[in-house]
Amino acid sequence: STQSTWAFFCLARMSLVPDREFTHILRVLNTNIEGRQKVMFALTNIKGIGRRFSNMVCKKAEVDLNKRAGELTPDEITKLVTIIQNPRQFKFPDWFLNRQKDIRDGKTSQVTSNNLDTKLRDDLERLKKIKAHRGLRHYWGLRVRGQHTKTTGRKGRTIGVSKKKGG
């Protein structure tokens, strides 16, 4: 009896599989996204988008969190992209965004994909140009955030003191 109900359950689950179009790889914001992943986790493949931001974007776009990324309609994808590119228009708090009070224009925004790499490079170049301590440490290839460097992080450099042979 339990075996027959289990078989019925499996058949019922198989029949619920939709016959809609399924995209195995999506291209969103210059990033390839795996279609088999759930929407929230698929969006985290885009550089600059974490799990919490992705979750909030899906909720604002009213996309089902249990849906797979490959099942998204083109309208839903465009809605997700517009929310990611303009999060402040959709009432995201400023503290939630990854670029607050930009040094150049003073704006708060969410920076993603190629823009993130560009902003990071510009920030490091600015620090090097004004000869800030952080910029110099980056330039010299040393640890920047106050870590101890006497005994750790020696990979690729000379280690210790060489002893003289003989006597």
Side-chain angles (χ1 to χ4, degrees):
S1 173
T2 52
Q3 223 173 12
S4 63
T5 54
W6 176 250
F8 176 74
F9 177 72
C10 288
L11 285 171
R13 281 191 65 213
M14 280 191 230
S15 66
L16 289 175
V17 174
D19 295 327
R20 283 182 269 138
E21 290 291 316
F22 186 86
T23 314
H24 291 280
I25 294 176
L26 291 99
R27 187 84 175 153
V28 179
L29 295 173
N30 298 328
T31 309
N32 290 338
I33 289 181
E34 186 68 41
R36 290 177 300 196
Q37 288 182 313
K38 291 199 174 180
V39 179
M40 188 184 117
F41 294 101
L43 286 177
T44 60
N45 290 344
I46 300 169
K47 198 167 184 180
I49 295 179
R51 290 198 306 247
R52 297 221 23 222
F53 187 77
S54 174
N55 187 8
M56 205 150 155
V57 166
C58 290
K59 286 180 179 174
K60 294 276 185 185
E62 296 171 358
V63 172
D64 184 16
L65 292 173
N66 294 321
K67 217 178 205 185
R68 303 280 169 184
E71 298 170 355
L72 290 173
T73 63
D75 295 338
E76 288 174 327
I77 293 171
T78 54
K79 199 169 185 184
L80 288 170
V81 169
T82 54
I83 292 173
I84 289 169
Q85 289 177 334
N86 311 308
R88 293 185 79 197
Q89 291 177 3
F90 294 90
K91 297 194 170 103
F92 277 69
D94 285 351
W95 57 264
F96 210 81
L97 307 179
N98 66 4
R99 184 81 178 172
Q100 296 167 17
K101 295 181 184 171
D102 189 9
I103 200 81
R104 300 231 186 273
D105 54 12
K107 292 180 181 172
T108 300
S109 62
Q110 182 76 13
V111 185
T112 55
S113 61
N114 298 340
N115 297 339
L116 186 63
D117 296 332
T118 308
K119 293 275 187 187
L120 186 64
R121 196 177 331 104
D122 291 348
D123 288 347
L124 291 178
E125 288 303 317
R126 183 181 58 83
L127 289 171
K128 289 175 192 172
K129 190 174 135 192
I130 64 174
K131 293 202 167 55
H133 182 259
R134 271 178 58 204
L136 294 173
R137 301 286 291 187
H138 274 291
Y139 179 72
W140 294 328
L142 297 172
R143 300 287 168 94
V144 177
R145 297 185 174 184
Q147 299 96 319
H148 291 263
T149 55
K150 184 175 182 180
T151 57
T152 61
R154 292 181 178 179
K155 191 169 170 78
R157 297 179 189 258
T158 53
I159 300 172
V161 180
S162 59
K163 292 184 180 178
K164 292 180 184 174
K165 290 192 175 182

